[in-house]
Amino acid sequence: MRILLSDEIVASVRASIGEAFPGTKASHRAEALAAGLGFRNNAALLVYLASTPRHEVRAREVVAGAFLSRLSELSGAELRDNGALEAAADAAGATVRTTGYDELSNSGREKFFGQSQVGDWRAPNMSNAERFAYMAFLLRWRMMNGGIANFVADYADVVPVHLHLAAACQANPNYDPQVSAFLVDWLVAAGEQEEVEWGDRIYEAMRFRINAYLDALCLSWDQAIDPMSLMPAGQPERPRIKGVPTISLSLAPGELLSLFEAGQVEASYLDLTGLALMAHWRTGVSHAVLRQMTERLQQASLGIGVPAETRIVSGGGAVVSWSEARQLMRPPHALDPMVPGKAVDWDKLELLPTDRAGASKAAELLEAGGLDYAVIPDDDGFSAGLRSAARRHAYAVIVDMTRREVSEILPIMMSGIMVIATNLDVNSPDTLLQLRGCKVLSPDGTVFMAYGVPPELPPGHIDEAEAKPVLRASHFIKIGDRKPNVVFEEEEPEEGLRPPGRG
């Protein structure tokens, strides 16, 4: 028999077997249960519960014989198998009964559309477990493509799927009480036409842990229970955690609400917004307050950031600011050793001026990092080398600018390929004018926007915006991932890209 595991499930099972074996000590029952689950002792079981990533479903084989043998050994009495362990797992909602979410949602979808193009929740061959799994699938799918408001609007007029899901979570909290409570509260609020963008942001940050919870419900679903017969009972319960709402950047187990607790593996700083809103939700603040927080973030920073009342703690335990948290979460880049101690957004950089030693070092780092680059020859193959790099979308090119003009490297920079240039004086007014608008790395490791003053303008003439060359992340708006097709002067455009004729 396999059972799901969580702190709450283990506590529930221990309580039930205590009633079944009243003459035994609690410590002996804890050790015996750990033995039945295949652990050397209770301490190992607790380590497993604390350290298993939250995006994984915690389920183990339990052997009643090993449990009874260990309990008999510790208690000094021969105990008989009376089915207590199986009954305890059932009472905790922990018994694995089905094949799980993937298989159930796939078969449920096929049966849902088996007889009707619009689908039929009452398809005669659709099991209750398949029905619940398909509801969970629809939630995941809509959250990837629209949001909770879209999910409610699309299905509520026929079947209130959001309320059936909320009721199922309310009836089965033991695997993850915190996620269960959030889903119930959020789904019910969305069904009441509240503005619950805050919940969408929490879902996005916690999605891997939420998926694990819904997977666990699919595994343990009782086939005798029709999810469409379930409706939420009373007002959703909310946690009331006191203190300053705090989040941690840690990807290791700990006591704080962290990226690890959210189930993240390779988290982005964008996930911190939802994690912070979850920290505030856990304090019991009203939906109106959560809505105000989300609106303020949207107005101030396009929805990116954390509410002002949030405390952020680094993986090492130090309190950090939002900007510091973003830097700490920036993934390492192959070229970082070029400017130690500086956080450079290499993917936005267009020109890296350096010397020969620096170019050699950059080549070694790009090679080690698996990034495609090309060393452009300083002869008749110069233009052909640039064209080749552009065709294969190389990450960078290394160019000796001794006998070259800046105008010769501008097209490759415009295509999104970084130019690592030697023998180029970027401080020259003429060079700055030609590089106008390009992102350049200064010798001190600062990214700046190059600007220049046309010769015909009086000295000192400079636009106010140009007087502040240091770039900030907020200056960039992502407009697409597709790189422009750059045609060099020496290259004929492809047939399909020629301008249309008149008319």
Side-chain angles (χ1 to χ4, degrees):
M1 178 180 72
R2 293 179 70 218
I3 68 171
L4 302 170
L5 289 178
S6 70
D7 291 337
E8 287 72 21
I9 288 173
V10 168
S12 175
V13 170
R14 285 177 182 168
S16 295
I17 60 178
E19 296 175 2
F21 300 101
T24 57
K25 294 182 178 180
S27 59
H28 293 169
R29 294 193 297 271
E31 293 294 332
L33 177 59
L37 291 166
F39 295 99
R40 292 182 61 186
N41 49 43
N42 185 54
L45 168 58
L46 296 180
V47 169
Y48 170 81
L49 292 173
S51 61
T52 303
R54 298 296 178 256
H55 65 272
E56 295 182 9
V57 177
R58 290 165 292 181
R60 299 273 296 196
E61 289 287 339
V62 60
V63 179
F67 161 75
L68 282 171
S69 176
R70 183 61 172 154
L71 187 58
S72 297
E73 176 188 351
L74 292 172
S75 63
E78 190 67 30
L79 301 173
R80 295 183 179 180
D81 184 1
N82 56 6
L85 191 55
E86 292 84 349
D90 281 343
T95 304
V96 173
R97 297 184 173 94
T98 74
T99 53
Y101 169 82
D102 289 336
E103 185 172 327
L104 289 173
S105 59
N106 287 333
S107 60
R109 183 166 61 254
E110 292 176 2
K111 294 173 182 178
F112 180 78
F113 290 109
Q115 305 295 326
S116 169
Q117 289 185 348
V118 297
D120 181 10
W121 285 106
R122 292 298 184 187
N125 60 340
M126 192 176 187
S127 71
N128 286 328
E130 288 172 328
R131 196 168 286 120
F132 173 76
Y134 189 56
M135 290 180 178
F137 164 81
L138 290 177
L139 175 64
R140 295 187 191 186
W141 183 62
R142 284 301 184 187
M143 288 307 298
M144 290 175 59
N145 295 280
I148 196 62
N150 178 277
F151 174 71
V152 172
D154 276 8
Y155 301 107
D157 57 338
V158 178
V159 173
V161 177
H162 63 290
L163 293 180
H164 295 322
L165 274 175
C169 295
Q170 191 177 48
N172 299 276
N174 275 354
Y175 183 76
D176 195 334
Q178 193 170 143
V179 165
S180 169
F182 163 70
L183 288 175
V184 176
D185 188 43
W186 174 52
L187 290 167
V188 170
E192 294 174 351
Q193 305 303 309
E194 286 188 29
E195 175 53 57
V196 288
E197 174 68 17
W198 54 267
D200 289 36
R201 301 300 295 272
I202 292 174
Y203 178 95
E204 182 64 21
M206 305 279 292
R207 62 192 181 281
F208 299 113
R209 180 171 170 177
I210 290 172
N211 287 347
Y213 169 71
L214 293 174
D215 290 355
L217 260 61
C218 288
L219 280 169
S220 60
W221 193 264
D222 187 342
Q223 291 282 15
I225 298 176
D226 181 356
M228 296 181 64
S229 68
L230 303 176
M231 293 295 281
Q235 288 297 316
E237 293 185 6
R238 294 274 303 278
R240 296 289 190 274
I241 298 177
K242 296 181 180 180
V244 178
T246 302
I247 61 174
S248 168
L249 308 184
S250 176
L251 287 169
E255 295 181 358
L256 297 175
L257 179 61
S258 63
L259 293 169
F260 173 85
E261 291 299 322
Q264 295 284 351
V265 179
E266 296 180 358
S268 160
Y269 70 88
L270 298 174
D271 294 312
L272 296 181
T273 302
L275 193 64
L277 289 169
M278 182 65 173
H280 285 272
W281 177 86
R282 298 198 316 168
T283 67
V285 298
S286 67
H287 294 171
V289 171
L290 292 167
R291 182 168 59 251
Q292 289 172 1
M293 290 177 177
T294 309
E295 290 172 351
R296 287 171 188 161
L297 287 173
Q298 189 65 35
Q299 293 167 2
S301 55
L302 298 177
I304 300 173
V306 298
E309 304 84 358
T310 309
R311 182 172 63 180
I312 308 175
V313 177
S314 70
V319 177
V320 296
S321 67
W322 164 248
S323 60
E324 290 171 330
R326 287 190 60 171
Q327 292 299 332
L328 288 170
M329 293 191 65
R330 187 181 70 87
H333 192 280
L335 292 176
D336 282 346
M338 293 293 291
V339 281
K342 292 282 186 176
V344 177
D345 193 343
W346 297 102
D347 293 332
K348 289 189 174 73
L349 188 68
E350 294 171 306
L351 179 63
L352 170 58
T354 186
D355 54 18
R356 284 189 175 184
S360 297
K361 181 178 180 180
E364 293 175 2
L365 293 171
L366 290 168
E367 184 78 27
L371 296 174
D372 185 17
Y373 73 98
V375 178
I376 306 301
D378 185 26
D379 52 26
D380 293 341
F382 183 84
S383 296
L386 291 181
R387 286 198 297 271
S388 175
R391 287 194 193 99
R392 69 175 192 261
H393 302 296
Y395 187 83
V397 294
I398 299 176
V399 178
D400 183 351
M401 296 296 294
T402 303
R403 296 187 297 157
R404 299 294 169 185
E405 298 293 331
V406 171
S407 58
E408 296 180 82
I409 60 173
L410 288 176
I412 196 80
M413 290 164 61
M414 292 174 59
S415 73
I417 297 175
M418 182 196 305
V419 173
I420 301 171
T422 60
N423 297 308
L424 177 64
D425 180 12
V426 294
N427 295 312
S428 160
D430 181 61
T431 301
L432 285 173
L433 180 60
Q434 294 183 72
L435 291 172
R436 185 183 180 93
C438 296
K439 276 86 71 180
V440 183
L441 188 69
S442 69
D444 67 353
T446 301
V447 177
F448 70 94
M449 183 82 80
Y451 62 86
V453 180
E456 63 271 14
L457 294 176
H461 180 89
I462 192 167
D463 293 338
E464 180 181 352
E466 295 170 343
K468 300 176 181 179
V470 177
L471 297 182
R472 302 185 185 281
S474 58
H475 294 174
F476 294 93
I477 299 176
K478 185 177 181 181
I479 59 175
D481 295 325
R482 186 176 180 180
K483 297 176 180 173
N485 182 37
V486 177
V487 178
F488 294 84
E489 293 180 359
E490 297 86 345
E491 182 182 20
E492 288 295 324
E494 297 178 18
E495 187 65 30
L497 298 180
R498 293 183 181 276
R502 182 175 298 175

